[in-house]
Amino acid sequence: MIFKIPTRYFLVSGASDGYTPLNAFDGALLQAGIGNTNIVKMSSIVPPHCQRIAPVPLPPGALVPAAYAAITSDIPGEMISAAVALALTEDPDRPGLIMEYSSRGRREAIEEIVREMVKEGMKLRGWPIKELTSIGIEYKVKKVGAALAAVVLWD
Amino acid sequence: MIFKIPTRYFLVSGASDGYTPLNAFDGALLQAGIGNTNIVKMSSIVPPHCQRIAPVPLPPGALVPAAYAAITSDIPGEMISAAVALALTEDPDRPGLIMEYSSRGRREAIEEIVREMVKEGMKLRGWPIKELTSIGIEYKVKKVGAALAAVVLWD
Amino acid sequence: MIFKIPTRYFLVSGASDGYTPLNAFDGALLQAGIGNTNIVKMSSIVPPHCQRIAPVPLPPGALVPAAYAAITSDIPGEMISAAVALALTEDPDRPGLIMEYSSRGRREAIEEIVREMVKEGMKLRGWPIKELTSIGIEYKVKKVGAALAAVVLWD
């Protein structure tokens, strides 16, 4: 069913130059280990009882839901960064929240912003944070570059 | 199967300020009652024999297909609106058509535009309209705001 | 399951004017034969052993994953084009790669670019190309126009 609830998730990031912005994005997906799948973008929840696993190889061509931040740039020398953050609360029956952010700039600054974003999202829900994870990547563009950070849902 | 055909749908809307545009969008989803799910954007059909229901709580983290209009703004005091319209024809074996529109401006104007859009879409198909529904929302931005209107498919 | 792997695919294209950009896009989907389905955009792989078929009528309202290029324009007289290219390698256990591109300009130029893009993507993977297919369409805008080319996955 389309309405199935995933049971596993993992975090990945990647960056690459490429022939065009889409080729650079493809290279970033490949470097992140999810380049041969069909990523379907979704907004941005980890289901309750979903377990974090280490990144695994996915079946080629599988339809894979993911929450991701991505950025491309065609300005040689520009630094670009992408990051995702994930917050879980104490009650295991409540879902986790994912936020995504990308911008030119250094990874540290962009990852700090996305961590604040997820804190704000949990505050809005009134859910105390038990655990906050994030992953970010920065990339200095050669000609046409892309950076990507993702939470991938899996089963 | 990914190719499953949904059997229920409902209309929702929401609006919110937030720490960033994505936080405002998250707040709008929460206010619409679909903030703790994984919305997957789709284009824009109600399957035949799909039945309208009142909005229901969805399982947290479920993958939920929806057609939606959304807008964010960081201009304090700006009025933003989002609306969706849905037209059904007489033949129950034919699908319904959804259109989405968002812009700065008042709800009444934006909802009128999206209703015209769905009328034009039905005219293009040569299908007489039996029923036309719409939902819209307007929001006056405080710092960073978002407005959202959606048709959510469900099973 | 959401993670199901499609087994069939086909290529389509379409173009149309419309009352608004979204109406033009709707018209292009209709002309491509996929206008009464719920297209879910994905990135951009043909699963191994997936077989090409001639375009088939899809069940109205079905959730259909597709990789597509689309462009809209409101400049009367402007020529817009959209194209997708698909490369398969010799090893049947390896997936195929799809690239999408759209721009103002003539079909021939835009389709040539997307064919280069998919060649570059295969080079990045180190996979020799056994077969390269593409489809493109150009459209001269009357008032508000859209052009679309897609690889549709099916089962």
Side-chain angles (χ1 to χ4, degrees):
Chain A
M1 336 290 161
I2 183 73
F3 311 108
K4 193 172 171 56
I5 297 177
T7 58
R8 303 276 185 279
Y9 71 93
F10 57 87
L11 277 62
V12 291
S13 66
S16 177
D17 251 61
Y19 173 63
T20 66
L22 184 57
N23 284 278
F25 179 68
D26 178 49
L29 286 169
L30 278 174
Q31 211 219 325
I34 54 173
N36 289 319
T37 61
N38 283 312
I39 301 295
V40 177
K41 194 175 175 94
M42 53 163 220
S43 79
S44 296
I45 296 293
V46 173
H49 309 287
C50 201
Q51 294 203 312
R52 185 168 177 181
I53 57 173
V56 291
L58 303 174
L63 293 157
V64 179
Y68 63 86
I71 182 171
T72 58
S73 165
D74 59 2
I75 301 174
E78 189 171 52
M79 184 71 74
I80 54 175
S81 295
V84 289
L86 162 57
L88 302 173
T89 189
E90 280 154 33
D91 183 342
D93 293 334
R94 289 210 167 123
L97 179 64
I98 306 164
M99 287 276 166
E100 310 96 35
Y101 188 62
S102 60
S103 174
R104 58 181 181 165
R106 303 301 304 248
R107 180 199 59 76
E108 196 178 340
I110 273 61
E111 195 168 339
E112 187 53 38
I113 289 169
V114 81
R115 292 173 68 93
E116 277 308 307
M117 289 168 65
V118 85
K119 285 180 198 168
E120 290 288 329
M122 294 297 273
K123 195 188 295 175
L124 183 62
R125 286 165 174 78
W127 297 349
I129 294 177
K130 180 190 161 201
E131 194 186 323
L132 200 166
T133 329
S134 58
I135 189 170
I137 189 167
E138 66 183 17
Y139 184 72
K140 196 171 176 184
V141 177
K142 293 185 193 80
K143 285 187 170 175
V144 178
L148 161 106
V151 179
V152 177
L153 299 190
W154 190 237
D155 205 26
Chain B
M1 339 286 163
I2 182 73
F3 311 108
K4 193 171 170 57
I5 297 178
T7 57
R8 303 277 184 277
Y9 71 93
F10 57 86
L11 278 62
V12 291
S13 66
S16 177
D17 251 60
Y19 173 63
T20 66
L22 183 58
N23 284 277
F25 179 68
D26 178 49
L29 287 169
L30 279 174
Q31 211 219 325
I34 54 174
N36 288 319
T37 60
N38 283 312
I39 301 295
V40 176
K41 194 173 175 94
M42 55 163 219
S43 78
S44 298
I45 296 293
V46 173
H49 309 287
C50 201
Q51 294 203 313
R52 185 169 178 180
I53 57 172
V56 291
L58 302 174
L63 292 158
V64 179
Y68 63 85
I71 183 171
T72 58
S73 165
D74 58 4
I75 301 174
E78 189 171 51
M79 185 71 75
I80 54 175
S81 295
V84 290
L86 162 57
L88 302 172
T89 190
E90 280 154 32
D91 184 342
D93 292 335
R94 288 211 167 122
L97 179 64
I98 306 164
M99 286 275 166
E100 311 95 35
Y101 189 62
S102 60
S103 175
R104 58 182 182 165
R106 304 300 305 247
R107 181 198 59 76
E108 196 178 341
I110 273 63
E111 195 168 339
E112 187 53 37
I113 290 170
V114 81
R115 292 174 68 93
E116 278 307 309
M117 288 168 66
V118 85
K119 284 180 199 169
E120 291 288 329
M122 293 297 273
K123 195 189 295 176
L124 182 61
R125 285 164 174 79
W127 297 350
I129 294 176
K130 181 189 159 200
E131 194 186 323
L132 200 166
T133 328
S134 58
I135 189 170
I137 189 165
E138 67 183 16
Y139 184 71
K140 196 171 176 184
V141 177
K142 293 186 193 79
K143 286 187 170 175
V144 177
L148 163 105
V151 178
V152 177
L153 299 190
W154 191 235
D155 205 26
Chain C
M1 338 290 158
I2 183 72
F3 311 108
K4 192 170 169 59
I5 298 177
T7 58
R8 302 276 184 278
Y9 70 93
F10 56 87
L11 276 62
V12 292
S13 65
S16 178
D17 252 60
Y19 172 63
T20 66
L22 184 57
N23 284 277
F25 178 69
D26 179 49
L29 286 169
L30 279 174
Q31 212 220 326
I34 54 174
N36 289 320
T37 60
N38 283 311
I39 300 294
V40 177
K41 194 174 174 95
M42 53 162 220
S43 79
S44 297
I45 297 293
V46 173
H49 309 288
C50 200
Q51 294 203 310
R52 185 168 178 180
I53 56 172
V56 291
L58 303 174
L63 293 157
V64 179
Y68 63 84
I71 182 170
T72 58
S73 165
D74 59 2
I75 301 174
E78 189 171 51
M79 184 71 76
I80 53 175
S81 295
V84 290
L86 161 57
L88 302 172
T89 190
E90 280 154 34
D91 183 343
D93 292 335
R94 289 211 166 120
L97 178 65
I98 306 164
M99 286 275 166
E100 311 95 36
Y101 188 63
S102 60
S103 173
R104 58 182 181 166
R106 304 300 305 248
R107 181 199 59 75
E108 197 178 340
I110 273 61
E111 194 167 340
E112 187 53 37
I113 289 169
V114 81
R115 292 174 68 93
E116 278 307 309
M117 289 168 67
V118 84
K119 284 179 199 170
E120 291 288 330
M122 294 297 273
K123 196 189 295 177
L124 184 61
R125 286 164 173 79
W127 296 350
I129 294 177
K130 179 190 160 199
E131 194 186 323
L132 200 165
T133 328
S134 59
I135 189 171
I137 190 166
E138 65 182 17
Y139 184 72
K140 197 171 176 184
V141 177
K142 293 187 191 81
K143 286 188 169 175
V144 178
L148 162 106
V151 178
V152 178
L153 299 190
W154 191 236
D155 205 28

mmCIF file of all heavy atoms in Angstrom, chain C residues 3-43:
data_model
loop_
_atom_site.group_PDB
_atom_site.id
_atom_site.type_symbol
_atom_site.label_atom_id
_atom_site.label_comp_id
_atom_site.label_asym_id
_atom_site.label_seq_id
_atom_site.Cartn_x
_atom_site.Cartn_y
_atom_site.Cartn_z
ATOM 1 N N PHE C 3 8.098 0.248 -1.384
ATOM 2 C CA PHE C 3 9.441 -0.055 -1.882
ATOM 3 C C PHE C 3 9.417 -1.044 -3.038
ATOM 4 O O PHE C 3 10.413 -1.612 -3.400
ATOM 5 C CB PHE C 3 10.305 -0.565 -0.732
ATOM 6 C CG PHE C 3 10.215 0.315 0.460
ATOM 7 C CD1 PHE C 3 9.530 -0.084 1.590
ATOM 8 C CD2 PHE C 3 10.782 1.574 0.442
ATOM 9 C CE1 PHE C 3 9.430 0.747 2.693
ATOM 10 C CE2 PHE C 3 10.688 2.411 1.535
ATOM 11 C CZ PHE C 3 10.000 1.995 2.672
ATOM 12 N N LYS C 4 8.227 -1.265 -3.562
ATOM 13 C CA LYS C 4 8.057 -2.153 -4.705
ATOM 14 C C LYS C 4 8.884 -1.651 -5.893
ATOM 15 O O LYS C 4 9.100 -0.463 -6.070
ATOM 16 C CB LYS C 4 6.585 -2.154 -5.089
ATOM 17 C CG LYS C 4 6.218 -3.240 -6.057
ATOM 18 C CD LYS C 4 4.710 -3.322 -6.184
ATOM 19 C CE LYS C 4 4.355 -4.228 -7.343
ATOM 20 N NZ LYS C 4 4.903 -5.600 -7.181
ATOM 21 N N ILE C 5 9.309 -2.590 -6.695
ATOM 22 C CA ILE C 5 10.104 -2.245 -7.873
ATOM 23 C C ILE C 5 9.276 -2.430 -9.137
ATOM 24 O O ILE C 5 8.786 -3.525 -9.411
ATOM 25 C CB ILE C 5 11.379 -3.103 -7.908
ATOM 26 C CG1 ILE C 5 12.228 -2.787 -6.656
ATOM 27 C CG2 ILE C 5 12.167 -2.829 -9.175
ATOM 28 C CD1 ILE C 5 13.475 -3.610 -6.526
ATOM 29 N N PRO C 6 9.078 -1.350 -9.892
ATOM 30 C CA PRO C 6 8.266 -1.430 -11.110
ATOM 31 C C PRO C 6 8.880 -2.377 -12.147
ATOM 32 O O PRO C 6 10.092 -2.588 -12.170
ATOM 33 C CB PRO C 6 8.258 0.010 -11.626
ATOM 34 C CG PRO C 6 8.552 0.855 -10.425
ATOM 35 C CD PRO C 6 9.496 0.027 -9.598
ATOM 36 N N THR C 7 8.049 -2.898 -13.024
ATOM 37 C CA THR C 7 8.499 -3.903 -14.001
ATOM 38 C C THR C 7 8.304 -3.472 -15.463
ATOM 39 O O THR C 7 8.744 -4.175 -16.363
ATOM 40 C CB THR C 7 7.727 -5.215 -13.787
ATOM 41 O OG1 THR C 7 6.327 -4.933 -13.920
ATOM 42 C CG2 THR C 7 7.993 -5.800 -12.413
ATOM 43 N N ARG C 8 7.619 -2.374 -15.683
ATOM 44 C CA ARG C 8 7.386 -1.884 -17.038
ATOM 45 C C ARG C 8 7.652 -0.381 -17.086
ATOM 46 O O ARG C 8 7.539 0.295 -16.062
ATOM 47 C CB ARG C 8 5.903 -2.082 -17.431
ATOM 48 C CG ARG C 8 5.391 -3.500 -17.365
ATOM 49 C CD ARG C 8 5.724 -4.271 -18.620
ATOM 50 N NE ARG C 8 5.153 -5.614 -18.584
ATOM 51 C CZ ARG C 8 5.703 -6.656 -17.948
ATOM 52 N NH1 ARG C 8 6.821 -6.518 -17.265
ATOM 53 N NH2 ARG C 8 5.139 -7.855 -17.993
ATOM 54 N N TYR C 9 7.979 0.126 -18.277
ATOM 55 C CA TYR C 9 8.066 1.579 -18.423
ATOM 56 C C TYR C 9 7.723 1.966 -19.846
ATOM 57 O O TYR C 9 7.822 1.160 -20.770
ATOM 58 C CB TYR C 9 9.460 2.093 -18.046
ATOM 59 C CG TYR C 9 10.548 1.730 -19.021
ATOM 60 C CD1 TYR C 9 10.909 2.594 -20.050
ATOM 61 C CD2 TYR C 9 11.225 0.523 -18.911
ATOM 62 C CE1 TYR C 9 11.915 2.266 -20.958
ATOM 63 C CE2 TYR C 9 12.232 0.180 -19.809
ATOM 64 C CZ TYR C 9 12.565 1.047 -20.824
ATOM 65 O OH TYR C 9 13.544 0.703 -21.711
ATOM 66 N N PHE C 10 7.330 3.234 -19.986
ATOM 67 C CA PHE C 10 7.141 3.767 -21.338
ATOM 68 C C PHE C 10 7.449 5.259 -21.362
ATOM 69 O O PHE C 10 7.479 5.918 -20.320
ATOM 70 C CB PHE C 10 5.746 3.459 -21.888
ATOM 71 C CG PHE C 10 4.592 3.932 -21.058
ATOM 72 C CD1 PHE C 10 4.085 5.226 -21.220
ATOM 73 C CD2 PHE C 10 3.981 3.099 -20.134
ATOM 74 C CE1 PHE C 10 3.001 5.666 -20.475
ATOM 75 C CE2 PHE C 10 2.893 3.530 -19.380
ATOM 76 C CZ PHE C 10 2.402 4.811 -19.548
ATOM 77 N N LEU C 11 7.706 5.748 -22.595
ATOM 78 C CA LEU C 11 8.070 7.158 -22.787
ATOM 79 C C LEU C 11 6.917 7.904 -23.446
ATOM 80 O O LEU C 11 6.285 7.384 -24.378
ATOM 81 C CB LEU C 11 9.297 7.266 -23.704
ATOM 82 C CG LEU C 11 10.679 7.100 -23.054
ATOM 83 C CD1 LEU C 11 10.863 5.728 -22.444
ATOM 84 C CD2 LEU C 11 11.782 7.399 -24.059
ATOM 85 N N VAL C 12 6.652 9.105 -22.961
ATOM 86 C CA VAL C 12 5.599 9.940 -23.552
ATOM 87 C C VAL C 12 6.033 11.397 -23.576
ATOM 88 O O VAL C 12 6.945 11.810 -22.848
ATOM 89 C CB VAL C 12 4.267 9.850 -22.760
ATOM 90 C CG1 VAL C 12 3.635 8.467 -22.893
ATOM 91 C CG2 VAL C 12 4.474 10.208 -21.296
ATOM 92 N N SER C 13 5.339 12.184 -24.405
ATOM 93 C CA SER C 13 5.545 13.632 -24.385
ATOM 94 C C SER C 13 4.235 14.320 -24.749
ATOM 95 O O SER C 13 3.351 13.721 -25.358
ATOM 96 C CB SER C 13 6.654 14.041 -25.363
ATOM 97 O OG SER C 13 6.256 13.766 -26.684
ATOM 98 N N GLY C 14 4.127 15.587 -24.368
ATOM 99 C CA GLY C 14 2.923 16.358 -24.681
ATOM 100 C C GLY C 14 3.179 17.834 -24.493
ATOM 101 O O GLY C 14 4.141 18.236 -23.829
ATOM 102 N N ALA C 15 2.310 18.652 -25.080
ATOM 103 C CA ALA C 15 2.443 20.103 -24.940
ATOM 104 C C ALA C 15 1.076 20.739 -25.136
ATOM 105 O O ALA C 15 0.209 20.174 -25.811
ATOM 106 C CB ALA C 15 3.431 20.657 -25.956
ATOM 107 N N SER C 16 0.879 21.918 -24.543
ATOM 108 C CA SER C 16 -0.449 22.530 -24.580
ATOM 109 C C SER C 16 -0.386 23.980 -24.132
ATOM 110 O O SER C 16 0.517 24.367 -23.377
ATOM 111 C CB SER C 16 -1.389 21.761 -23.643
ATOM 112 O OG SER C 16 -2.668 22.344 -23.607
ATOM 113 N N ASP C 17 -1.320 24.786 -24.600
ATOM 114 C CA ASP C 17 -1.601 26.055 -23.952
ATOM 115 C C ASP C 17 -2.639 25.826 -22.844
ATOM 116 O O ASP C 17 -3.260 24.757 -22.758
ATOM 117 C CB ASP C 17 -2.148 27.079 -24.953
ATOM 118 C CG ASP C 17 -1.115 28.169 -25.251
ATOM 119 O OD1 ASP C 17 -0.024 27.831 -25.749
ATOM 120 O OD2 ASP C 17 -1.386 29.347 -24.942
ATOM 121 N N GLY C 18 -2.814 26.823 -21.983
ATOM 122 C CA GLY C 18 -3.806 26.685 -20.927
ATOM 123 C C GLY C 18 -4.130 28.034 -20.299
ATOM 124 O O GLY C 18 -3.422 29.022 -20.528
ATOM 125 N N TYR C 19 -5.146 28.027 -19.476
ATOM 126 C CA TYR C 19 -5.648 29.236 -18.826
ATOM 127 C C TYR C 19 -4.610 29.828 -17.863
ATOM 128 O O TYR C 19 -4.487 31.047 -17.717
ATOM 129 C CB TYR C 19 -6.942 28.866 -18.108
ATOM 130 C CG TYR C 19 -7.557 29.894 -17.227
ATOM 131 C CD1 TYR C 19 -8.025 31.104 -17.747
ATOM 132 C CD2 TYR C 19 -7.715 29.661 -15.860
ATOM 133 C CE1 TYR C 19 -8.623 32.041 -16.919
ATOM 134 C CE2 TYR C 19 -8.310 30.588 -15.033
ATOM 135 C CZ TYR C 19 -8.750 31.782 -15.563
ATOM 136 O OH TYR C 19 -9.325 32.711 -14.749
ATOM 137 N N THR C 20 -3.870 28.943 -17.190
ATOM 138 C CA THR C 20 -2.775 29.324 -16.287
ATOM 139 C C THR C 20 -1.622 28.343 -16.547
ATOM 140 O O THR C 20 -1.815 27.338 -17.248
ATOM 141 C CB THR C 20 -3.181 29.178 -14.798
ATOM 142 O OG1 THR C 20 -3.399 27.780 -14.529
ATOM 143 C CG2 THR C 20 -4.436 29.972 -14.462
ATOM 144 N N PRO C 21 -0.429 28.576 -15.974
ATOM 145 C CA PRO C 21 0.648 27.590 -16.136
ATOM 146 C C PRO C 21 0.236 26.175 -15.713
ATOM 147 O O PRO C 21 0.560 25.202 -16.392
ATOM 148 C CB PRO C 21 1.760 28.140 -15.234
ATOM 149 C CG PRO C 21 1.535 29.626 -15.245
ATOM 150 C CD PRO C 21 0.036 29.804 -15.289
ATOM 151 N N LEU C 22 -0.507 26.052 -14.600
ATOM 152 C CA LEU C 22 -0.919 24.718 -14.153
ATOM 153 C C LEU C 22 -1.908 24.085 -15.126
ATOM 154 O O LEU C 22 -1.861 22.876 -15.393
ATOM 155 C CB LEU C 22 -1.516 24.777 -12.735
ATOM 156 C CG LEU C 22 -1.899 23.443 -12.113
ATOM 157 C CD1 LEU C 22 -0.719 22.468 -12.043
ATOM 158 C CD2 LEU C 22 -2.481 23.643 -10.702
ATOM 159 N N ASN C 23 -2.822 24.902 -15.693
ATOM 160 C CA ASN C 23 -3.732 24.370 -16.713
ATOM 161 C C ASN C 23 -2.960 23.917 -17.958
ATOM 162 O O ASN C 23 -3.300 22.894 -18.568
ATOM 163 C CB ASN C 23 -4.782 25.416 -17.107
ATOM 164 C CG ASN C 23 -5.881 25.581 -16.063
ATOM 165 O OD1 ASN C 23 -6.832 24.823 -16.019
ATOM 166 N ND2 ASN C 23 -5.741 26.558 -15.199
ATOM 167 N N ALA C 24 -1.935 24.665 -18.335
ATOM 168 C CA ALA C 24 -1.130 24.263 -19.490
ATOM 169 C C ALA C 24 -0.401 22.955 -19.209
ATOM 170 O O ALA C 24 -0.352 22.059 -20.060
ATOM 171 C CB ALA C 24 -0.133 25.371 -19.852
ATOM 172 N N PHE C 25 0.130 22.834 -17.995
ATOM 173 C CA PHE C 25 0.795 21.590 -17.593
ATOM 174 C C PHE C 25 -0.203 20.426 -17.611
ATOM 175 O O PHE C 25 0.102 19.330 -18.108
ATOM 176 C CB PHE C 25 1.394 21.779 -16.192
ATOM 177 C CG PHE C 25 2.080 20.570 -15.625
ATOM 178 C CD1 PHE C 25 3.270 20.104 -16.167
ATOM 179 C CD2 PHE C 25 1.547 19.895 -14.535
ATOM 180 C CE1 PHE C 25 3.909 18.979 -15.624
ATOM 181 C CE2 PHE C 25 2.181 18.778 -13.992
ATOM 182 C CZ PHE C 25 3.368 18.318 -14.541
ATOM 183 N N ASP C 26 -1.408 20.670 -17.103
ATOM 184 C CA ASP C 26 -2.477 19.658 -17.134
ATOM 185 C C ASP C 26 -2.783 19.253 -18.573
ATOM 186 O O ASP C 26 -2.930 18.068 -18.883
ATOM 187 C CB ASP C 26 -3.719 20.238 -16.443
ATOM 188 C CG ASP C 26 -4.911 19.291 -16.435
ATOM 189 O OD1 ASP C 26 -4.750 18.113 -16.063
ATOM 190 O OD2 ASP C 26 -6.023 19.739 -16.809
ATOM 191 N N GLY C 27 -2.846 20.235 -19.472
ATOM 192 C CA GLY C 27 -3.096 19.943 -20.880
ATOM 193 C C GLY C 27 -1.973 19.123 -21.504
ATOM 194 O O GLY C 27 -2.218 18.217 -22.315
ATOM 195 N N ALA C 28 -0.732 19.427 -21.109
ATOM 196 C CA ALA C 28 0.408 18.664 -21.626
ATOM 197 C C ALA C 28 0.369 17.215 -21.129
ATOM 198 O O ALA C 28 0.637 16.279 -21.883
ATOM 199 C CB ALA C 28 1.724 19.339 -21.216
ATOM 200 N N LEU C 29 0.004 17.029 -19.860
ATOM 201 C CA LEU C 29 -0.145 15.666 -19.323
ATOM 202 C C LEU C 29 -1.242 14.910 -20.075
ATOM 203 O O LEU C 29 -1.083 13.735 -20.426
ATOM 204 C CB LEU C 29 -0.501 15.708 -17.827
ATOM 205 C CG LEU C 29 0.603 16.088 -16.837
ATOM 206 C CD1 LEU C 29 0.020 16.332 -15.455
ATOM 207 C CD2 LEU C 29 1.665 14.990 -16.738
ATOM 208 N N LEU C 30 -2.366 15.585 -20.325
ATOM 209 C CA LEU C 30 -3.462 14.956 -21.077
ATOM 210 C C LEU C 30 -3.000 14.555 -22.472
ATOM 211 O O LEU C 30 -3.270 13.443 -22.935
ATOM 212 C CB LEU C 30 -4.651 15.913 -21.197
ATOM 213 C CG LEU C 30 -5.597 16.009 -20.000
ATOM 214 C CD1 LEU C 30 -6.624 17.113 -20.240
ATOM 215 C CD2 LEU C 30 -6.320 14.687 -19.741
ATOM 216 N N GLN C 31 -2.294 15.468 -23.140
ATOM 217 C CA GLN C 31 -1.842 15.173 -24.489
ATOM 218 C C GLN C 31 -0.830 14.019 -24.488
ATOM 219 O O GLN C 31 -0.747 13.253 -25.456
ATOM 220 C CB GLN C 31 -1.228 16.424 -25.109
ATOM 221 C CG GLN C 31 -1.441 16.493 -26.628
ATOM 222 C CD GLN C 31 -0.216 17.015 -27.357
ATOM 223 O OE1 GLN C 31 0.506 17.874 -26.841
ATOM 224 N NE2 GLN C 31 0.020 16.506 -28.554
ATOM 225 N N ALA C 32 -0.102 13.884 -23.391
ATOM 226 C CA ALA C 32 0.860 12.780 -23.262
ATOM 227 C C ALA C 32 0.173 11.470 -22.878
ATOM 228 O O ALA C 32 0.816 10.423 -22.822
ATOM 229 C CB ALA C 32 1.916 13.133 -22.219
ATOM 230 N N GLY C 33 -1.129 11.538 -22.569
ATOM 231 C CA GLY C 33 -1.873 10.325 -22.236
ATOM 232 C C GLY C 33 -1.819 9.935 -20.773
ATOM 233 O O GLY C 33 -2.249 8.852 -20.385
ATOM 234 N N ILE C 34 -1.299 10.839 -19.920
ATOM 235 C CA ILE C 34 -1.198 10.525 -18.487
ATOM 236 C C ILE C 34 -1.883 11.605 -17.636
ATOM 237 O O ILE C 34 -1.569 11.780 -16.462
ATOM 238 C CB ILE C 34 0.274 10.340 -18.051
ATOM 239 C CG1 ILE C 34 1.141 11.565 -18.440
ATOM 240 C CG2 ILE C 34 0.868 9.094 -18.691
ATOM 241 C CD1 ILE C 34 2.572 11.500 -17.915
ATOM 242 N N GLY C 35 -2.853 12.297 -18.237
ATOM 243 C CA GLY C 35 -3.446 13.459 -17.579
ATOM 244 C C GLY C 35 -4.459 13.129 -16.501
ATOM 245 O O GLY C 35 -4.791 13.984 -15.693
ATOM 246 N N ASN C 36 -4.946 11.922 -16.457
ATOM 247 C CA ASN C 36 -5.945 11.606 -15.442
ATOM 248 C C ASN C 36 -5.404 10.687 -14.355
ATOM 249 O O ASN C 36 -6.147 9.962 -13.694
ATOM 250 C CB ASN C 36 -7.196 11.025 -16.096
ATOM 251 C CG ASN C 36 -7.963 12.094 -16.869
ATOM 252 O OD1 ASN C 36 -8.088 13.235 -16.405
ATOM 253 N ND2 ASN C 36 -8.443 11.759 -18.054
ATOM 254 N N THR C 37 -4.072 10.756 -14.160
ATOM 255 C CA THR C 37 -3.432 9.971 -13.098
ATOM 256 C C THR C 37 -2.767 10.904 -12.096
ATOM 257 O O THR C 37 -2.666 12.101 -12.320
ATOM 258 C CB THR C 37 -2.346 9.052 -13.693
ATOM 259 O OG1 THR C 37 -1.363 9.865 -14.330
ATOM 260 C CG2 THR C 37 -2.949 8.089 -14.705
ATOM 261 N N ASN C 38 -2.314 10.317 -11.000
ATOM 262 C CA ASN C 38 -1.581 11.083 -10.001
ATOM 263 C C ASN C 38 -0.087 10.814 -10.149
ATOM 264 O O ASN C 38 0.444 9.837 -9.620
ATOM 265 C CB ASN C 38 -2.065 10.719 -8.600
ATOM 266 C CG ASN C 38 -3.393 11.374 -8.283
ATOM 267 O OD1 ASN C 38 -3.544 12.569 -8.482
ATOM 268 N ND2 ASN C 38 -4.353 10.594 -7.827
ATOM 269 N N ILE C 39 0.575 11.697 -10.879
ATOM 270 C CA ILE C 39 2.003 11.546 -11.129
ATOM 271 C C ILE C 39 2.783 11.929 -9.869
ATOM 272 O O ILE C 39 2.587 12.996 -9.302
ATOM 273 C CB ILE C 39 2.437 12.448 -12.297
ATOM 274 C CG1 ILE C 39 1.675 12.077 -13.567
ATOM 275 C CG2 ILE C 39 3.941 12.357 -12.522
ATOM 276 C CD1 ILE C 39 1.967 10.723 -14.121
ATOM 277 N N VAL C 40 3.672 11.038 -9.453
ATOM 278 C CA VAL C 40 4.583 11.300 -8.343
ATOM 279 C C VAL C 40 5.991 11.387 -8.920
ATOM 280 O O VAL C 40 6.484 10.431 -9.528
ATOM 281 C CB VAL C 40 4.501 10.185 -7.279
ATOM 282 C CG1 VAL C 40 5.512 10.432 -6.165
ATOM 283 C CG2 VAL C 40 3.090 10.099 -6.705
ATOM 284 N N LYS C 41 6.621 12.558 -8.753
ATOM 285 C CA LYS C 41 7.948 12.779 -9.351
ATOM 286 C C LYS C 41 9.010 11.998 -8.589
ATOM 287 O O LYS C 41 9.018 11.982 -7.358
ATOM 288 C CB LYS C 41 8.295 14.272 -9.319
ATOM 289 C CG LYS C 41 9.472 14.640 -10.209
ATOM 290 C CD LYS C 41 9.675 16.158 -10.263
ATOM 291 C CE LYS C 41 10.919 16.519 -11.026
ATOM 292 N NZ LYS C 41 10.691 16.826 -12.431
ATOM 293 N N MET C 42 9.901 11.372 -9.300
ATOM 294 C CA MET C 42 10.977 10.606 -8.666
ATOM 295 C C MET C 42 12.278 10.854 -9.419
ATOM 296 O O MET C 42 12.297 11.315 -10.544
ATOM 297 C CB MET C 42 10.633 9.120 -8.688
ATOM 298 C CG MET C 42 10.301 8.664 -10.102
ATOM 299 S SD MET C 42 10.363 6.925 -10.406
ATOM 300 C CE MET C 42 11.134 6.942 -12.041
ATOM 301 N N SER C 43 13.383 10.529 -8.744
ATOM 302 C CA SER C 43 14.703 10.568 -9.399
ATOM 303 C C SER C 43 15.149 9.152 -9.663
ATOM 304 O O SER C 43 14.933 8.307 -8.826
ATOM 305 C CB SER C 43 15.722 11.229 -8.493
ATOM 306 O OG SER C 43 16.155 10.285 -7.507
#
